[in-house]
Amino acid sequence: GENVEQHPSTLSVQEGDSAVIKCTYSDSASNYFPWYKQELGKRPQLIIDIRSNVGEKKDQRIAVTLNKTAKHFSLHITETQPEDSAVYFCAASYTDKLIFGTGTRLQVFP
Amino acid sequence: DAGVTQSPTHLIKTRGQQVTLRCSPKSGHDTVSWYQQALGQGPQFIFQYYEEEERQRGNFPDRFSGHQFPNYSSELNVNALLLGDSALYLCASSSVPQETQYFGPGTRLLVL
């Protein structure tokens, strides 16, 4: 069935360093890949998304890359700040339902 | 422009009871999806409503049912509650089924 694997489960970085979170999806028909940030007790918030006809997308300090052949996609955060600390979820969509990864807890230390 | 809203914010029920959760989509959105998020896990897709019909369903038992009203708001009903139904229930709306989903704040359900 449809599955999304996400690594690592936890990630600690120093402020100013880069952070990379990787996801692998199982359904080759998936065509939409959003990333959500969820702070403790709050709703998931969309931070960036990419569709299968694009290989890379950037928005200021955040970028997402997609390798359709390998069925991998990754989130890159540069110049991390303490307010980037949260749980990040990747998701893959086919037929419009989102299948989520298990999340990555990112801690940015000042 | 109001975002996605959900009510209630918190709910405590006992096993065997029934619960109804409510969601109002973002203005201009007509598609509502429901997700269950257990503690420490990613959201799990329950079902999606579009044009007042259940368009897709995830791997959840028939105890989970829903409805969409003509104003696009939606309800999630869970019958015969189990302890394992304790979770954060999230509603997400989109302008059409294929477009980006925006989440509401969720309803935290505790089943005792």
Side-chain angles (χ1 to χ4, degrees):
Chain A
E2 301 141 332
N3 186 48
V4 175
E5 293 188 3
Q6 182 172 349
H7 299 282
S9 56
T10 61
L11 181 59
S12 296
V13 299
Q14 206 74 31
E15 182 178 0
D17 286 351
S18 295
V20 180
I21 303 171
K22 298 183 179 182
C23 290
T24 304
Y25 59 98
S26 61
D27 190 340
S28 57
S30 295
N31 56 9
Y32 173 63
F33 307 90
W35 286 86
Y36 289 87
K37 174 184 179 182
Q38 189 173 29
E39 296 177 60
L40 192 62
K42 301 212 173 159
R43 75 185 76 192
Q45 289 201 300
L46 180 76
I47 54 171
I48 196 166
D49 57 8
I50 192 168
R51 296 192 183 267
S52 59
N53 58 346
V54 176
E56 182 174 359
K57 183 177 178 181
K58 288 183 83 169
D59 182 5
Q60 299 183 342
R61 297 186 297 110
I62 294 174
V64 57
T65 58
L66 172 64
N67 182 330
K68 283 194 301 181
T69 304
K71 294 190 281 187
H72 289 170
F73 58 114
S74 301
L75 177 71
H76 304 252
I77 306 174
T78 58
E79 299 171 28
T80 53
Q81 301 166 4
E83 51 265 37
D84 293 330
S85 297
V87 178
Y88 290 80
F89 291 99
C90 63
S93 174
Y94 172 62
T95 67
D96 315 317
K97 67 180 180 185
L98 294 177
I99 306 300
F100 282 84
T102 48
T104 296
R105 182 173 298 280
L106 174 64
Q107 289 184 296
V108 181
F109 292 98
Chain B
D1 177 25
V4 182
T5 60
Q6 291 186 243
S7 64
T9 54
H10 295 82
L11 208 49
I12 300 175
K13 292 285 188 178
T14 56
R15 279 178 297 174
Q17 286 190 309
Q18 178 264 343
V19 69
T20 297
L21 311 181
R22 296 176 177 83
C23 171
S24 290
K26 186 176 164 67
S27 177
H29 286 187
D30 61 7
T31 303
V32 173
S33 302
W34 286 93
Y35 294 82
Q36 180 194 67
Q37 187 177 25
L39 203 59
Q41 302 292 319
Q44 300 286 317
F45 176 77
I46 303 174
F47 42 52
Q48 182 183 78
Y49 278 86
Y50 173 64
E51 294 187 337
E52 300 180 54
E53 303 239 336
E54 184 182 290
R55 189 169 173 273
Q56 288 197 78
R57 189 177 183 91
N59 295 324
F60 280 80
D62 292 345
R63 299 186 296 110
F64 290 76
S65 63
H67 188 77
Q68 185 178 36
F69 299 94
N71 66 353
Y72 308 123
S73 67
S74 177
E75 286 182 351
L76 163 66
N77 300 291
V78 187
N79 294 322
L81 285 166
L82 304 174
L83 297 179
D85 294 332
S86 296
L88 179 68
Y89 288 85
L90 294 161
C91 158
S93 75
S94 54
S95 55
V96 288
Q98 300 83 5
E99 286 303 315
T100 301
Q101 296 185 23
Y102 296 91
F103 283 87
T107 294
R108 190 163 297 281
L109 172 65
L110 178 60
V111 182
L112 301 176

